[in-house]
Protein backbone atom coordinates (compact mmCIF):
# COMPACT_ATOMS: atom_id res chain seq x y z
CA UNK A 1 0.00 0.00 0.00
CA UNK A 2 1.36 3.42 -0.99
CA UNK A 3 1.89 6.08 1.69
CA UNK A 4 3.11 9.66 2.00
CA UNK A 5 6.62 8.21 2.30
CA UNK A 6 6.22 6.25 -0.95
CA UNK A 7 3.71 8.13 -3.11
CA UNK A 8 2.76 6.94 -6.55
CA UNK A 9 3.33 10.49 -7.84
CA UNK A 10 5.81 12.47 -5.71
CA UNK A 11 4.15 15.75 -4.79
CA UNK A 12 0.91 14.63 -6.41
CA UNK A 13 -1.12 15.56 -3.33
CA UNK A 14 0.32 19.07 -3.51
CA UNK A 15 -0.65 19.39 -7.17
CA UNK A 16 -4.21 18.35 -6.31
CA UNK A 17 -4.25 20.68 -3.32
CA UNK A 18 -3.27 23.69 -5.46
CA UNK A 19 -6.33 23.26 -7.67
CA UNK A 20 -8.61 24.37 -4.87
CA UNK A 21 -6.15 26.42 -2.83
CA UNK A 22 -4.94 28.93 -5.42
CA UNK A 23 -8.33 30.57 -6.11
CA UNK A 24 -8.93 30.93 -2.37
CA UNK A 25 -5.42 32.31 -1.83
CA UNK A 26 -6.00 34.96 -4.50
CA UNK A 27 -9.20 36.02 -2.77
CA UNK A 28 -7.72 36.23 0.74
CA UNK A 29 -8.33 39.56 2.42
CA UNK A 30 -5.20 41.55 3.20
CA UNK A 31 -4.41 42.62 6.76
CA UNK A 32 -5.24 46.21 7.70
CA UNK A 33 -4.45 48.10 10.93
CA UNK A 34 -8.12 47.76 11.88
CA UNK A 35 -7.49 44.02 12.31
CA UNK A 36 -5.09 44.62 15.17
CA UNK A 37 -1.96 42.53 15.76
CA UNK A 38 -1.71 39.16 14.06
CA UNK A 39 -1.26 36.21 16.43
CA UNK A 40 2.13 34.56 16.96
CA UNK A 41 2.25 30.99 15.66
CA UNK A 42 4.12 27.81 16.47
CA UNK A 43 3.83 25.12 13.81
CA UNK A 44 5.08 21.61 13.25
CA UNK A 45 6.58 21.97 9.81
CA UNK A 46 7.07 18.56 8.28
CA UNK A 47 9.46 17.90 5.39
CA UNK A 48 8.95 16.75 1.77
CA UNK A 49 6.36 14.13 2.85
CA UNK A 50 4.06 17.05 3.68
CA UNK A 51 3.63 17.52 -0.07
CA UNK A 52 2.12 14.02 -0.21
CA UNK A 53 -0.22 14.50 2.77
CA UNK A 54 -3.40 16.11 1.45
CA UNK A 55 -5.17 16.47 4.82
CA UNK A 56 -2.16 18.15 6.47
CA UNK A 57 -1.73 20.52 3.51
CA UNK A 58 -5.35 21.56 3.87
CA UNK A 59 -5.03 22.00 7.63
CA UNK A 60 -2.14 24.43 7.21
CA UNK A 61 -3.85 26.28 4.37
CA UNK A 62 -7.16 26.59 6.21
CA UNK A 63 -5.31 27.94 9.25
CA UNK A 64 -3.65 30.61 7.12
CA UNK A 65 -6.98 31.42 5.47
CA UNK A 66 -8.57 32.00 8.88
CA UNK A 67 -6.26 35.01 9.30
CA UNK A 68 -5.95 38.18 7.23
CA UNK A 69 -3.14 37.93 4.69
CA UNK A 70 0.07 39.16 6.37
CA UNK A 71 2.12 42.08 5.12
CA UNK A 72 5.24 39.94 5.67
CA UNK A 73 6.37 36.78 7.48
CA UNK A 74 9.24 36.37 9.94
CA UNK A 75 9.98 32.72 10.70
CA UNK A 76 12.42 31.05 13.09
CA UNK A 77 13.15 27.45 12.11
CA UNK A 78 14.58 24.56 14.08
CA UNK A 79 17.03 24.05 11.24
CA UNK A 80 18.99 27.27 11.62
CA UNK A 81 20.89 27.57 14.89
CA UNK A 82 23.40 30.37 14.58
CA UNK A 83 24.91 33.04 16.79
CA UNK A 84 25.16 35.95 16.68
CA UNK A 85 21.59 36.48 15.59
CA UNK A 86 21.23 36.47 11.81
CA UNK A 87 18.59 36.86 9.13
CA UNK A 88 18.39 35.29 5.70
CA UNK A 89 18.98 37.02 2.39
CA UNK A 90 16.28 39.61 1.81
CA UNK A 91 16.40 40.03 -1.98
CA UNK A 92 13.46 38.91 -4.07
CA UNK A 93 13.59 35.25 -5.06
CA UNK A 94 15.59 34.18 -2.01
CA UNK A 95 16.99 30.71 -2.78
CA UNK A 96 15.77 27.63 -0.96
CA UNK A 97 17.94 25.37 1.19
CA UNK A 98 17.23 21.72 0.41
CA UNK A 99 18.44 20.50 3.78
CA UNK A 100 17.19 16.92 3.53
CA UNK A 101 18.35 13.78 1.82
CA UNK A 102 17.05 10.65 0.17
CA UNK A 103 13.93 12.08 -1.44
CA UNK A 104 12.66 12.11 -5.02
CA UNK A 105 14.38 14.67 -7.31
CA UNK A 106 11.16 16.66 -7.63
CA UNK A 107 11.50 18.06 -4.11
CA UNK A 108 14.93 19.49 -4.95
CA UNK A 109 13.47 21.37 -7.91
CA UNK A 110 10.70 23.09 -5.97
CA UNK A 111 10.74 26.89 -5.90
CA UNK A 112 9.19 29.47 -3.63
CA UNK A 113 10.14 32.83 -5.10
CA UNK A 114 9.03 35.37 -2.51
CA UNK A 115 9.18 39.18 -2.90
CA UNK A 116 11.89 41.46 -1.54
CA UNK A 117 11.99 41.45 2.28
CA UNK A 118 14.51 44.25 2.79
CA UNK A 119 12.00 46.46 4.59
CA UNK A 120 11.27 43.65 7.05
CA UNK A 121 14.99 43.03 7.59
CA UNK A 122 15.40 46.70 8.52
CA UNK A 123 12.45 46.53 10.91
CA UNK A 124 13.81 43.39 12.59
CA UNK A 125 17.20 45.06 13.03
CA UNK A 126 15.53 48.11 14.54
CA UNK A 127 13.79 46.00 17.20
CA UNK A 128 17.05 44.61 18.56
CA UNK A 129 19.03 46.36 21.32
CA UNK A 130 22.56 47.61 20.77
CA UNK A 131 23.91 44.56 22.57
CA UNK A 132 22.21 42.15 20.16
CA UNK A 133 24.06 42.45 16.83
CA UNK A 134 22.14 41.19 13.82
CA UNK A 135 23.99 39.77 10.82
CA UNK A 136 22.32 40.23 7.43
CA UNK A 137 23.17 37.34 5.10
CA UNK A 138 23.25 38.02 1.38
CA UNK A 139 22.99 34.43 0.16
CA UNK A 140 21.54 32.28 2.99
CA UNK A 141 18.16 31.02 1.77
CA UNK A 142 15.03 29.64 3.42
CA UNK A 143 15.46 26.14 4.84
CA UNK A 144 12.75 23.49 4.76
CA UNK A 145 11.46 24.51 8.19
CA UNK A 146 10.37 27.72 6.49
CA UNK A 147 9.53 27.06 2.84
CA UNK A 148 7.83 23.67 3.20
CA UNK A 149 4.99 24.81 5.51
CA UNK A 150 4.74 28.22 3.81
CA UNK A 151 4.17 26.60 0.42
CA UNK A 152 1.07 25.05 2.00
CA UNK A 153 -0.06 28.12 3.92
CA UNK A 154 0.64 30.78 1.29
CA UNK A 155 1.05 28.92 -2.01
CA UNK A 156 1.11 32.08 -4.15
CA UNK A 157 4.53 32.97 -2.72
CA UNK A 158 3.60 36.66 -2.88
CA UNK A 159 4.39 37.64 0.73
CA UNK A 160 7.89 38.82 1.76
CA UNK A 161 9.53 36.16 3.94
CA UNK A 162 12.54 36.53 6.19
CA UNK A 163 14.08 33.75 8.26
CA UNK A 164 15.88 34.47 11.53
CA UNK A 165 18.38 32.20 13.22
CA UNK A 166 17.96 30.69 16.68
CA UNK A 167 21.04 31.88 18.59
CA UNK A 168 20.52 30.10 21.92
CA UNK A 169 19.06 27.04 23.62
CA UNK A 170 17.96 29.09 26.64
CA UNK A 171 14.17 29.50 26.75
CA UNK A 172 14.45 32.84 28.55
CA UNK A 173 16.80 34.28 25.95
CA UNK A 174 14.53 33.14 23.12
CA UNK A 175 11.51 34.66 24.84
CA UNK A 176 13.39 37.95 25.16
CA UNK A 177 14.03 37.92 21.42
CA UNK A 178 10.37 37.15 20.85
CA UNK A 179 9.37 40.15 22.96
CA UNK A 180 11.50 42.36 20.75
CA UNK A 181 9.67 41.02 17.71
CA UNK A 182 6.18 41.45 19.16
CA UNK A 183 5.63 45.01 17.81
CA UNK A 184 5.98 43.66 14.26
CA UNK A 185 2.67 41.86 14.74
CA UNK A 186 1.00 45.28 15.01
CA UNK A 187 2.23 45.99 11.47
CA UNK A 188 0.66 42.86 10.01
CA UNK A 189 3.82 40.74 10.21
CA UNK A 190 3.20 37.07 10.98
CA UNK A 191 5.80 35.81 13.49
CA UNK A 192 6.24 32.03 13.36
CA UNK A 193 8.27 29.57 15.38
CA UNK A 194 8.69 26.45 13.23
CA UNK A 195 9.61 23.13 14.80
CA UNK A 196 7.84 19.84 15.55
CA UNK A 197 6.03 19.10 18.79
CA UNK A 198 7.81 15.74 19.00
CA UNK A 199 10.82 14.83 16.89
CA UNK A 200 12.44 11.59 18.04
CA UNK A 201 14.01 10.70 14.71
CA UNK A 202 16.60 8.29 16.18
CA UNK A 203 13.77 6.26 17.70
CA UNK A 204 11.56 5.78 14.64
CA UNK A 205 10.31 2.20 14.29
CA UNK A 206 8.67 0.25 11.49
CA UNK A 207 5.42 0.36 13.47
CA UNK A 208 5.51 4.18 13.37
CA UNK A 209 5.74 4.05 9.57
CA UNK A 210 2.54 2.01 9.72
CA UNK A 211 0.70 4.52 11.92
CA UNK A 212 1.63 3.57 15.48
CA UNK A 213 2.17 6.41 17.95
CA UNK A 214 4.75 5.62 20.65
CA UNK A 215 3.96 6.51 24.24
CA UNK A 216 6.89 8.93 24.40
CA UNK A 217 5.28 11.00 21.64
CA UNK A 218 1.66 10.93 22.79
CA UNK A 219 2.57 11.59 26.42
CA UNK A 220 4.83 14.52 25.59
CA UNK A 221 2.16 15.97 23.32
CA UNK A 222 -0.52 15.65 26.01
CA UNK A 223 1.81 17.30 28.54
CA UNK A 224 2.51 20.20 26.17
CA UNK A 225 -1.19 20.61 25.35
CA UNK A 226 -2.00 20.83 29.05
CA UNK A 227 0.76 23.35 29.78
CA UNK A 228 -0.28 25.49 26.80
CA UNK A 229 -3.93 25.39 27.86
CA UNK A 230 -2.92 26.63 31.31
CA UNK A 231 -0.39 29.17 30.03
CA UNK A 232 2.28 27.55 32.20
CA UNK A 233 5.44 29.00 30.69
CA UNK A 234 7.64 27.78 33.55
CA UNK A 235 6.51 24.20 32.94
CA UNK A 236 7.23 24.48 29.22
CA UNK A 237 10.67 25.97 29.90
CA UNK A 238 11.50 22.99 32.12
CA UNK A 239 10.50 20.47 29.42
CA UNK A 240 13.85 18.64 29.52
CA UNK A 241 13.32 17.49 33.11
CA UNK A 242 9.54 17.66 33.60
CA UNK A 243 7.99 16.42 30.38
CA UNK A 244 7.12 12.74 30.01
CA UNK A 245 8.67 11.04 27.02
CA UNK A 246 12.01 12.78 27.35
CA UNK A 247 14.60 12.44 25.97
CA UNK A 248 12.93 10.35 23.27
CA UNK A 249 10.47 13.07 22.23
CA UNK A 250 13.34 15.55 21.76
CA UNK A 251 16.80 13.94 21.76
CA UNK A 252 17.99 17.37 20.61
CA UNK A 253 16.16 20.57 21.60
CA UNK A 254 16.03 22.30 18.21
CA UNK A 255 12.45 21.37 17.22
CA UNK A 256 10.90 22.39 20.55
CA UNK A 257 12.80 25.62 21.19
CA UNK A 258 11.07 27.78 18.53
CA UNK A 259 8.03 27.62 20.82
CA UNK A 260 9.72 30.21 23.03
CA UNK A 261 10.02 32.71 20.18
CA UNK A 262 6.27 32.30 19.76
CA UNK A 263 5.56 32.66 23.48
CA UNK A 264 7.74 35.75 23.74
CA UNK A 265 6.11 37.35 20.71
CA UNK A 266 2.59 36.98 22.14
CA UNK A 267 0.82 39.75 24.03
CA UNK A 268 0.62 37.47 27.04
CA UNK A 269 2.48 34.14 27.05
CA UNK A 270 0.34 32.95 29.97
CA UNK A 271 -2.90 33.07 28.00
CA UNK A 272 -4.31 29.73 26.87
CA UNK A 273 -3.03 28.88 23.40
CA UNK A 274 -5.41 28.06 20.57
CA UNK A 275 -4.51 24.71 19.01
CA UNK A 276 -5.06 24.85 15.25
CA UNK A 277 -3.65 21.43 14.28
CA UNK A 278 -3.15 18.28 16.30
CA UNK A 279 -2.73 14.59 15.59
CA UNK A 280 0.33 12.66 14.49
CA UNK A 281 2.44 12.04 11.40
CA UNK A 282 4.65 8.95 11.43
CA UNK A 283 4.24 8.92 15.20
CA UNK A 284 5.35 12.54 15.67
CA UNK A 285 2.95 15.10 17.18
CA UNK A 286 1.87 17.78 14.70
CA UNK A 287 0.48 20.11 17.37
CA UNK A 288 0.50 23.70 16.12
CA UNK A 289 -1.02 26.68 17.88
CA UNK A 290 -1.62 30.42 17.89
CA UNK A 291 -1.28 32.98 20.67
CA UNK A 292 -2.68 36.51 20.54
Amino acid sequence: MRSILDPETPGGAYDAFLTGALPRARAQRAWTPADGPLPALYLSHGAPPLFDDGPWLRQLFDWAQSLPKPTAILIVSAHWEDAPLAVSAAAAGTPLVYDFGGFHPRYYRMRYDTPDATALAHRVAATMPAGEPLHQHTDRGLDHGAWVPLMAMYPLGDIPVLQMSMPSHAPGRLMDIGRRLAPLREEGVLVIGSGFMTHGLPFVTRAMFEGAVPAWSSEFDAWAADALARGDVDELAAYATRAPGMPFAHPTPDHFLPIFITLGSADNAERPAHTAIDGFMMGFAKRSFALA
Side-chain angles (χ1 to χ4, degrees):
M1 180 178 176
R2 295 282 187 158
S3 71
I4 62 170
L5 298 175
D6 181 29
E8 184 173 350
T9 302
Y14 187 69
D15 296 334
F17 155 79
L18 288 178
T19 301
L22 290 179
R24 290 178 61 195
R26 294 187 185 102
Q28 186 176 14
R29 181 179 67 82
W31 177 90
T32 70
D35 291 309
L38 286 174
L41 308 186
Y42 171 86
L43 57 82
S44 296
H45 60 237
L50 174 60
F51 295 118
D52 300 296
D53 190 332
W56 195 2
L57 288 167
R58 290 188 292 275
Q59 285 177 319
L60 286 165
F61 180 72
D62 288 345
W63 189 16
Q65 287 288 300
S66 73
L67 305 170
K69 184 175 182 176
T71 59
I73 296 169
L74 178 66
I75 188 164
V76 177
S77 159
H79 297 283
W80 189 16
E81 299 176 85
D82 197 11
L85 200 61
V87 292
S88 60
T94 298
L96 302 185
V97 180
Y98 303 97
D99 50 340
F100 43 76
F103 291 96
H104 188 275
R106 176 179 182 182
Y107 305 111
Y108 302 91
R109 296 193 298 266
M110 285 182 159
R111 299 289 299 272
Y112 193 61
D113 294 329
T114 50
D116 186 277
T118 301
L120 178 57
H122 290 161
R123 285 293 295 117
V124 172
T127 68
M128 295 299 154
E132 185 75 71
L134 185 74
H135 177 67
Q136 172 70 67
H137 280 270
T138 57
D139 56 1
R140 207 279 180 186
L142 305 175
D143 65 45
H144 83 265
W147 65 266
V148 167
L150 291 180
M151 282 183 67
M153 298 174 78
Y154 299 102
L156 294 174
D158 59 350
I159 302 172
V161 176
L162 194 71
Q163 187 171 344
M164 190 173 74
S165 72
M166 193 162 51
S168 172
H169 285 181
R173 170 92 189 284
L174 296 176
M175 287 190 67
D176 285 343
I177 292 171
R179 292 185 189 101
R180 290 280 176 175
L181 301 173
L184 298 177
R185 297 172 40 237
E186 300 172 8
E187 303 167 21
V189 177
L190 189 62
V191 178
I192 302 175
S194 176
F196 221 122
M197 189 55 75
T198 59
H199 197 251
L201 277 178
F203 309 110
V204 171
T205 64
R206 181 176 296 276
M208 291 169 67
F209 281 94
E210 297 171 353
V213 177
W216 52 258
S217 186
S218 61
E219 291 173 3
F220 185 99
D221 180 58
W223 167 86
D226 176 69
L228 288 165
R230 293 185 291 104
D232 194 338
V233 176
D234 290 340
E235 180 76 359
L236 292 165
Y239 72 98
T241 56
R242 293 189 191 173
M246 289 295 291
F248 300 96
H250 288 285
T252 59
D254 46 359
H255 280 72
F256 189 68
L257 290 175
I259 202 172
F260 297 106
I261 295 288
T262 302
L263 293 171
S265 300
D267 292 343
N268 182 353
E270 295 183 348
R271 268 191 199 147
H274 168 68
T275 293
I277 299 173
D278 57 12
F280 298 85
M281 189 284 295
M282 208 177 73
F284 297 158
K286 300 189 300 181
R287 186 169 302 278
S288 303
F289 65 86
L291 267 174

